[in-house]
Amino acid sequence: MNICELAKALGASAEGGENIEITGLCASAAKVQCGDLFFCYKGRSFDSHEVAARAVRGGAAALVCERKLDLPVPQLIVGDGRAAMTAAAREFYGRPDRRLKMVGVTGTNGKTTVTYMLDSIFRAAGRSTGVIGTLGIAFAGRAIAPELTTPDPICLFSVLREMADCGVEYVFMEVSAHALAFGKTEGITFEAGIFTNCTQDHLDFFADMNEYSGCKKKLFRGGRCLRSVINSDDATGREIARFAPAPVTYGLKNPADVFAVDIAERLDGSTFVINLFDELYEIGLHMPGEYNVSNALAAAACARVLGVKTEVIANGLAALERVPGRLECAGKYNGASIFVDFAHTPDGLGKSLGTLKRLCSGKLYCLFGCGGNRDSSKRPLMGAVAAKYADFLIITSDNPRYEDPYDIILQIEEGVRPSGKSYVTVTDRRTATEYAIGLLREGDILLVAGKGGESYQEIMGIKHDYDDNTVIREIIT
């Protein structure tokens, strides 16, 4: 693509570079290739203008900058480099979102499960689908390993182009608060936006809960989505429903357009009767927990407003065997059940443990930790929530990153001690898992929480191979 075309999309001029062809886009100086347009912007902790010279040495044909640099290549000067990257990526890849029906899901918890449920429903309806989110990207038999919940714009629009070229019709995408804050999805008009919930998380990045919830609300403002599916059981959701476009509500505890009755939970799943805009239908899920019933309501409501018949919705939900790392049964040992779950917030951990507590005939054990260099204020809260439900706690490490895992564990303990519950601390996660499994007896349940479907343990900037499911299977076999 000629640089002038990109300059026009950005509202910038390409002085001195009218005949330059841009063959790629890049925001990492270490990955730049000849012919790339390199993006510079000032972030919270790093200013990529500082590595622009390296990008030019690596072959960058031109730069997008927030200020003029003394470098011998054409430069497109813009006010916001991040916003320019989104606009340029969308233009460079031919606005692929226009060839797709996009559904965006935002919320603290439940995003991944809702996208997987929607994917299963629309495949049952005979549609070609793609999924983008925490577990990675999947479409047309391809799987791309995850990097971020919502990919950065260059990756995102590149993938959307591939999806469109492969004949994908519907894309179900997790839209994180960070993505909305950085404008990663600007320009995309979603056929529907889904809001699941808003509870404490990411306060290492957002100043407070008002800023955090405010970013989630962005999905439902400014014409970003044509229809809205909103959780009426969530306070932020009720706020959103007052201004969101074409709102449809779902819920279990508050009045809603879509709701469930006769919920029956089991360790291997649940059944309920859905009231889908006054149409009743029995639904079966392979996942336990009322919160998964709520997730199913969100997916069903969205599918229905997009034209899928209720019978097909039920078939699609029943066909979904599992969502990796989302209250997933990892195995049995000594007559006890072991579950793996991604729960890494106080609300998420409480819901998972509350579900298992109701279904546990023996003791409920919880093994968990908290990530390093993230919201430290939730650590004692998670300790308190775990102590509320579990009979015994095993506090361990979970992606300590650049923090000392002992310090993280100490902060979790602050929330546990007032409860008087028994617990142990075992810093090494595998050793902790071996210890926890050794405690199990008939009727017990062990929840291994925090990592879910992750395949690594991040320590001092290095991602070591580590998968809770794999470790558990190795221990019990």
Side-chain angles (χ1 to χ4, degrees):
M1 175 177 279
N2 188 278
I3 193 172
C4 291
E5 297 176 75
L6 287 172
K8 183 178 179 181
L10 301 181
S13 61
E15 295 179 11
E18 291 80 0
N19 297 318
I20 289 179
E21 286 294 314
I22 298 299
T23 56
L25 308 179
C26 188
S28 169
K31 298 179 180 179
V32 73
Q33 296 182 12
C34 286
D36 279 355
L37 177 64
F38 182 76
F39 293 87
C40 303
Y41 53 85
K42 183 172 172 44
R44 292 195 175 197
S45 58
F46 180 69
D47 186 344
S48 54
H49 291 82
E50 296 175 5
V51 295
R54 179 183 176 186
V56 171
R57 291 195 299 272
L63 305 174
V64 172
C65 309
E66 294 173 346
R67 61 180 184 268
K68 180 72 175 174
L69 300 176
D70 185 19
L71 292 170
V73 293
Q75 298 170 39
L76 309 184
I77 309 301
V78 297
D80 184 335
R82 282 189 184 276
M85 179 165 58
T86 300
R90 186 168 181 258
E91 195 72 21
F92 184 82
Y93 291 106
R95 302 184 181 186
D97 50 288
R98 289 187 170 183
R99 298 162 56 194
L100 302 161
K101 294 186 184 300
M102 306 284 298
V103 176
V105 185
T106 195
T108 306
N109 298 310
K111 297 187 295 296
T112 301
T113 299
V114 171
T115 58
Y116 270 64
M117 287 177 167
L118 281 165
D119 181 67
S120 187
I121 289 168
F122 277 77
R123 282 191 287 111
R127 302 297 189 180
S128 176
T129 62
V131 175
I132 299 174
T134 307
L135 295 177
I137 299 167
F139 67 99
R142 293 185 57 191
I144 301 173
E147 289 189 8
L148 297 168
T149 297
T150 307
D152 281 335
I154 296 171
C155 173
L156 173 60
F157 286 100
S158 169
V159 165
L160 292 180
R161 171 66 178 267
E162 290 185 54
M163 287 182 172
D165 289 347
C166 285
V168 169
E169 298 171 86
Y170 286 85
V171 178
F172 307 109
M173 175 179 171
E174 297 182 47
V175 184
S176 68
H178 289 76
L180 290 163
F182 289 139
K184 291 183 182 182
T185 60
E186 286 301 308
I188 295 175
T189 299
F190 292 93
E191 292 290 317
I194 301 175
F195 174 81
T196 59
N197 48 61
C198 185
T199 63
Q200 182 173 333
D201 201 10
H202 304 304
L203 295 187
D204 56 306
F205 180 87
F206 297 100
D208 51 36
M209 286 298 294
N210 284 334
E211 183 184 350
Y212 177 47
S213 64
C215 275
K216 294 191 177 297
K217 292 175 183 176
K218 284 183 178 181
L219 181 61
F220 306 94
R221 298 187 189 274
R224 290 182 177 87
C225 60
L226 302 178
R227 306 170 184 84
S228 309
V229 178
I230 311 296
N231 183 2
S232 67
D233 291 335
D234 184 273
T236 300
R238 292 190 293 275
E239 290 179 34
I240 293 172
R242 289 196 285 269
F243 64 79
V248 166
T249 57
Y250 69 93
L252 295 173
K253 297 176 173 61
N254 286 302
D257 300 307
V258 178
F259 58 93
V261 296
D262 296 336
I263 300 172
E265 295 182 82
R266 309 178 311 277
L267 275 179
D268 63 349
S270 56
T271 59
F272 61 95
V273 173
I274 191 172
N275 185 313
L276 189 58
F277 305 108
D278 294 329
E279 183 179 359
L280 303 180
Y281 211 95
E282 186 167 337
I283 303 290
L285 299 177
H286 292 286
M287 293 168 283
E290 274 195 2
Y291 65 91
N292 276 321
V293 173
S294 180
N295 289 332
L297 295 179
C302 181
R304 194 71 188 89
V305 299
L306 293 179
V308 182
K309 294 181 178 179
T310 302
E311 180 182 1
V312 177
I313 291 170
N315 291 339
L317 289 171
L320 183 61
E321 294 287 339
R322 59 188 277 270
V323 179
R326 270 58 180 177
L327 206 57
E328 180 184 6
C329 186
K332 295 184 180 293
Y333 182 79
N334 277 352
S337 298
I338 306 169
F339 286 83
V340 167
D341 193 52
F342 188 54
H344 61 285
T345 67
D347 179 68
L349 187 60
K351 285 178 176 174
S352 294
L353 285 171
T355 293
L356 297 177
K357 187 69 171 178
R358 292 192 297 272
L359 301 172
C360 184
S361 60
K363 288 186 176 181
L364 176 59
Y365 295 88
C366 179
L367 182 153
F368 75 107
C370 290
N373 302 107
R374 296 294 187 268
D375 180 6
S376 61
S377 67
K378 71 180 182 182
R379 294 168 185 171
L381 300 178
M382 290 186 66
V385 166
K388 176 181 177 181
Y389 292 102
D391 297 297
F392 188 83
L393 310 177
I394 304 92
I395 306 173
T396 188
S397 186
D398 179 351
N399 291 335
R401 299 184 177 89
Y402 293 96
E403 281 196 70
D404 187 331
Y406 292 101
D407 292 338
I408 298 172
I409 289 172
L410 284 172
Q411 291 174 62
I412 296 172
E413 286 183 275
E414 291 174 12
V416 176
R417 289 196 197 96
S419 71
K421 282 285 177 70
S422 298
Y423 70 93
V424 296
T425 64
V426 183
T427 305
D428 180 75
R429 193 173 179 94
R430 184 185 182 98
T431 303
T433 305
E434 291 173 343
Y435 174 81
I437 290 174
L439 298 173
L440 298 177
R441 299 295 180 266
E442 181 78 31
D444 293 345
I445 295 176
L446 167 63
L447 176 66
V448 178
K451 295 185 65 59
E454 287 182 349
S455 59
Y456 62 86
Q457 180 86 310
E458 187 176 347
I459 304 170
M460 297 303 291
I462 299 173
K463 290 186 176 181
H464 303 267
D465 289 344
Y466 191 94
D467 179 272
D468 278 334
N469 268 295
T470 300
V471 169
I472 290 165
R473 285 195 295 270
E474 290 172 354
I475 294 170
I476 66 178
T477 55

